[in-house]
Amino acid sequence: TSEDVCGIVGLGVDQLEIACVRAASPAEFSIGAGKVMHVTFRANQAGRFESNGRVIGEVCLPLEHIVSRCGGSLYHMWLPLQKPGSSL
């Protein structure tokens, strides 16, 4: 079976799953600079969205750092995936 990869975007314990991003369907949302955005990438059966799919890696982005170093924007960036649980 083929798999799709999606990124589950979270903003801390009070907002664990605010968006799902995929290559063909980016997400758009507003957040404050003091937050830390956590994206967990999961593999699911093609055509299905499941927040409990197989975890393949994660990225943790402290937005205050992005504002100060990157002008507040990230466009088409390559970010290395961390092992699940290592970026917390």
Side-chain angles (χ1 to χ4, degrees):
T1 47
S2 66
E3 291 182 312
D4 285 335
V5 174
C6 68
I8 309 298
V9 179
L11 297 174
V13 295
D14 56 332
Q15 296 176 307
L16 293 176
E17 296 183 12
I18 65 165
C20 175
V21 295
R22 298 172 196 252
S25 59
E28 185 175 317
F29 47 89
S30 296
I31 52 181
K35 293 279 189 174
V36 174
M37 184 170 66
H38 186 262
V39 185
T40 302
F41 291 92
R42 297 180 177 271
N44 295 295
Q45 286 182 320
R48 298 179 71 184
F49 165 73
E50 297 176 17
S51 60
N52 62 349
R54 179 175 57 85
V55 176
I56 56 176
E58 54 193 23
V59 173
C60 190
L61 300 168
L63 299 180
E64 195 167 304
H65 177 76
I66 292 168
V67 168
S68 67
R69 297 287 204 145
C70 306
S73 299
L74 293 177
Y75 295 100
H76 303 282
M77 296 291 295
W78 287 95
L79 299 168
L81 292 179
Q82 303 296 316
K83 292 180 184 178
S86 66
S87 64
L88 297 175

